Amino acid sequence: METSRSNSQDILAGKAPKRSPLLLRSTVVLFTLFCGLYMFSICIKQTRFSSASKLLNIRVIHDQPCNTSVFEEKELPYLHFPKPTTFRRKECACNPVRYFVILSMQRSGSGWFETLLNSHMNISSNGEIFGNKDRRSNASTVVKVLDQVYNLDWFSSASKNECSAAVGLKWMLNQGAMVNHKEVVEYFNRRGVSVIFLFRRNLLRRMISMHANAYDKNVKLLNGTHKSHVHSPKEAQILAQYKPKINTTDLVSNLMEVQGTARRGLELFKSTRHIVLYYEDVVSNRTKLVDVLEFLKVPYRDLTSRQVKIHSGPLSQHISNWEDVKKALNGTSFESYLKEDYRL
């Protein structure tokens, strides 16, 4: 009996104590959870890396240079592929854009000429931007404005879509262009900006227009509204009723001064790629517009304008002291101004 009891005790003593089922289950659950979290973190890292790779590939494709092999080498300095910060050019990103500027003088037909250019679906000329004095306060400010225009980030009523083929502005010589000519010429040559000079041959007609425009700024003949340009014959007739009296004492010297300004402008910007136009020539010979389109390298289109000329007809109808003006100019280099006439 004692032997049997002893054997039973030995057997019981050799058995391991039973583990709690709850502890085992908890261990398995925690291990499974840990493995799951580890695998999930690896998947997330792989997904992020894959997305980053795709974005990188897109950027590489987007930043690839546009093909310019189809253009002549001499044209390359004037071809641009701007990347606006305010919108994307999308499918037109590799359509070249040419930069231009219209350099002119007040009341020389530049407003009418610009409306002709803007009637072309691929040309954007953004107006007299530097009429605002703050934009021409110094050379660095001028350059910043030009950068904005030529980067297609300047918005005006003339702004076209992302497929513009030529973009520019109208700039009067006395609005900072000549004062900052060194910096401006350097900028034009460095950025490949083409210059369109537009002047008037008959400076006496320009003088009449200057006087009449200054008068209307104060009087506002059109129902209390001043208009530098009009779009109906009736409005033109109303404004043309004013006939300025020309100061004949300083007439010749004033005409010489304007003539000298135009010549100086041509001299200062002669190193740029440029074309010289005269308002009268464009009015009488519309093939001049074909020359402009060829100069800008844009497709030919019929160009139109809604503007109506204010002072049409003989000059004698628009100057109150016509006989005095005739006497002052007869025998001078400006005598031909008395006879030249044209219609718009």
Side-chain angles (χ1 to χ4, degrees):
M1 291 291 293
E2 291 180 1
T3 303
S4 176
R5 185 180 298 172
S6 176
N7 291 337
S8 298
Q9 289 176 351
D10 291 340
I11 293 171
L12 291 173
K15 288 183 179 180
K18 292 183 178 179
R19 294 182 180 179
S20 170
L22 180 60
L23 180 61
L24 290 173
R25 290 175 182 173
S26 299
T27 302
V28 171
V29 170
L30 289 174
F31 179 76
T32 304
L33 181 61
F34 174 78
C35 291
L37 290 173
Y38 178 73
M39 294 177 67
F40 179 74
S41 65
I42 292 176
C43 291
I44 289 294
K45 289 180 180 179
Q46 289 180 341
T47 302
R48 288 178 178 174
F49 178 78
S50 176
S51 299
S53 299
K54 289 179 180 178
L55 289 174
L56 180 62
N57 290 336
I58 291 173
R59 290 194 188 100
V60 169
I61 293 173
H62 180 72
D63 290 338
Q64 284 182 347
C66 298
N67 180 23
T68 58
S69 61
V70 296
F71 300 99
E72 296 182 25
E73 187 174 351
K74 64 180 181 180
E75 290 295 324
L76 296 183
Y78 306 101
L79 297 178
H80 310 281
F81 303 93
K83 296 179 180 179
T85 60
T86 50
F87 68 96
R88 291 188 177 276
R89 297 191 69 209
K90 300 178 182 178
E91 69 274 8
C92 294
C94 280
N95 284 12
V97 178
R98 287 171 171 83
Y99 301 157
F100 71 89
V101 61
I102 304 167
L103 288 183
S104 187
M105 303 173 72
Q106 284 84 354
R107 313 309 295 178
S108 296
S110 60
W112 169 73
F113 179 75
E114 190 176 45
T115 60
L116 289 172
L117 292 186
N118 280 327
S119 70
H120 194 292
M121 63 184 297
N122 298 120
I123 300 178
S124 295
S125 189
N126 291 281
E128 202 169 315
I129 292 175
F130 290 108
N132 185 322
K133 292 182 179 180
D134 292 337
R135 296 171 185 161
R136 61 176 197 262
S137 57
N138 53 60
S140 60
T141 302
V142 168
V143 168
K144 288 180 181 178
V145 172
L146 291 174
D147 280 341
Q148 193 174 353
V149 172
Y150 294 128
N151 200 48
L152 306 185
D153 285 321
W154 188 276
F155 291 101
S156 69
S157 59
S159 300
K160 299 295 195 303
N161 56 28
E162 60 270 13
C163 294
S164 293
V167 63
L169 67 150
K170 182 175 66 168
W171 197 353
M172 301 297 103
L173 289 174
N174 64 349
Q175 293 176 347
M178 295 178 69
V179 172
N180 301 295
H181 70 273
K182 290 183 179 179
E183 294 84 357
V184 174
V185 169
E186 188 277 331
Y187 181 93
F188 285 173
N189 289 331
R190 174 169 50 85
R191 296 295 308 274
V193 179
S194 299
V195 178
I196 302 173
F197 286 103
L198 180 67
F199 300 117
R200 289 187 87 144
R201 292 189 183 278
N202 194 325
L203 299 181
L204 182 58
R205 280 193 176 273
R206 176 184 178 273
M207 181 178 288
I208 294 171
S209 183
M210 291 284 290
H211 280 291
N213 190 59
Y215 175 79
D216 189 65
K217 282 183 179 179
N218 295 321
V219 180
K220 299 179 176 60
L221 294 172
L222 297 175
N223 298 321
T225 302
H226 168 63
K227 289 187 178 182
S228 297
H229 307 96
V230 296
H231 299 94
S232 74
K234 183 177 180 180
E235 290 177 326
Q237 186 178 13
I238 293 173
L239 293 182
Q241 290 175 359
Y242 171 70
K243 297 181 180 182
K245 183 178 181 179
I246 305 297
N247 182 350
T248 56
T249 303
D250 300 326
L251 178 57
V252 173
S253 61
N254 287 339
L255 292 175
M256 291 180 65
E257 182 180 355
V258 175
Q259 194 176 65
T261 299
R263 288 175 177 171
R264 177 166 165 74
L266 288 170
E267 178 66 23
L268 293 177
F269 291 87
K270 66 180 181 180
S271 66
T272 63
R273 178 179 183 264
H274 64 270
I275 184 175
V276 181
L277 299 174
Y278 289 93
Y279 175 66
E280 291 86 345
D281 297 344
V282 178
V283 170
S284 60
N285 183 5
R286 290 302 180 92
T287 60
K288 291 293 182 180
L289 294 176
V290 178
D291 296 339
V292 174
L293 297 181
E294 290 180 355
F295 178 71
L296 295 177
K297 304 297 182 183
V298 295
Y300 173 78
R301 295 285 188 278
D302 287 330
L303 305 182
T304 60
S305 174
R306 293 178 53 244
Q307 284 193 14
V308 177
K309 183 173 175 58
I310 297 173
H311 298 98
S312 59
L315 279 171
S316 57
Q317 297 179 358
H318 303 293
I319 300 176
S320 61
N321 58 332
W322 173 246
E323 292 300 324
D324 294 335
V325 170
K326 283 177 61 178
K327 291 178 182 178
L329 295 184
N330 276 328
T332 70
S333 59
F334 304 109
E335 183 178 0
S336 60
Y337 293 173
L338 301 171
K339 303 173 184 177
E340 290 180 1
D341 193 28
Y342 55 90
R343 292 182 179 275
L344 182 60

